[in-house]
Amino acid sequence: MPDLTKIPVTVITGFLGAGKTTLIRHLMQNPQGRRLAILVNEFGTVGVDGDILKSCADANCPVENIVELANGCICCTVADDFIPTIEALMALPERPDHILIETSGLALPKPLLKAFDWPAIRSRITVDGVVALADAEAVAAGRFAPDPAAVAAQRAADDSLDHETPLSEVFEDQIACADIILLTKADLAGEAGLAAARAVIEAEVPRRLPILPMTDGSIDPRVILGLNAAAEDDLAARPSHHDGHDDHEHDDFASLVIDLAEVADPADLAARVQRLAREQNILRVKGHVAVAGKPMRLLLQAVGERVRQQFDRPWGSAPRRSQLVVIAEHHDIDEAAIRTVLGT
């Protein structure tokens, strides 16, 4: 029976040189029984090289579980790069227990979170948490990035980056999107530097967040993994300087809720859902169905023509209500035709 549990994803953000790769290496060495997969997003040859992480591969995170994308912002290339890569990681022979995403040092994390709402993956994956790394010494000194020259070189190397966005705004967007903030290189900053950096961050974060010191990427994985934040459903609490004027709203899609009578034959329903994908370009169908004579609720999840069904729990005292959510591009939502195929 397929495992329909959502795979948790931790997004690790922070400027180039803040220590993202060092943290991921530490998590690879201390997986807490998890089988990991890693997606590294960089621009060209500038910044982190995925080979660094591949050299640390082991049984808990083999080489085939580590993917590097160097074609620009993964949210800007969702259909071509991000979704196929995530689907490939989820389809590995041994399904990963947790996926780590290392963003580019100049990436804005909120658009990436919006990508997790795409119909093709939303039902199978969730953002367990966003971890923002900040170089304590640099932040205390007002530089934000530990090596401004390297950041400038990275920015100049990629045409898709907004060269007019001040580094302070990128920094503020990164920490505003976070569930936890790690002050890296704490040993170099010292107590005074840590206090100064903490004061800068506390003045900018939109809500109270844990701010923890870290040296050499070493932190108990239990602190940052297993947050269950479902960050893709919590975007309003993560304000950005770029809210309302980016290209990541994904408003080309529409959904339709269809109520059904009790179903006598789940296989026939699955075939009808496959027809929707094949004949009407429906992207996603999901919902719960009452099956005649069965006390258990049937969970249906479909991505294109791939349909999965599983009895997940008894109806109990809840009303036996069959309801499916159908998702497609706006121009493919034809309610009458969808209802005809589903037999309503």
Side-chain angles (χ1 to χ4, degrees), residues 4 6 119 122-124 273 284-288 298-310 324:
L4 297 183
K6 288 187 177 183
R122 179 176 173 80
S123 67
R124 297 184 288 161
V273 171
R284 288 279 287 109
V285 180
K286 56 185 177 179
H288 297 102
L298 183 70
L299 170 65
L300 183 147
Q301 298 268 19
V303 179
E305 291 190 56
R306 298 195 305 274
V307 181
R308 293 181 288 184
Q309 299 182 94
Q310 173 185 344
L324 297 177

Side-chain angles (χ1 to χ4, degrees), residues 187-207:
D187 55 330
L188 301 179
E191 291 300 321
L194 285 173
R198 184 183 296 272
V200 170
I201 290 172
E202 288 178 339
E204 298 294 342
V205 291
R207 61 198 186 284

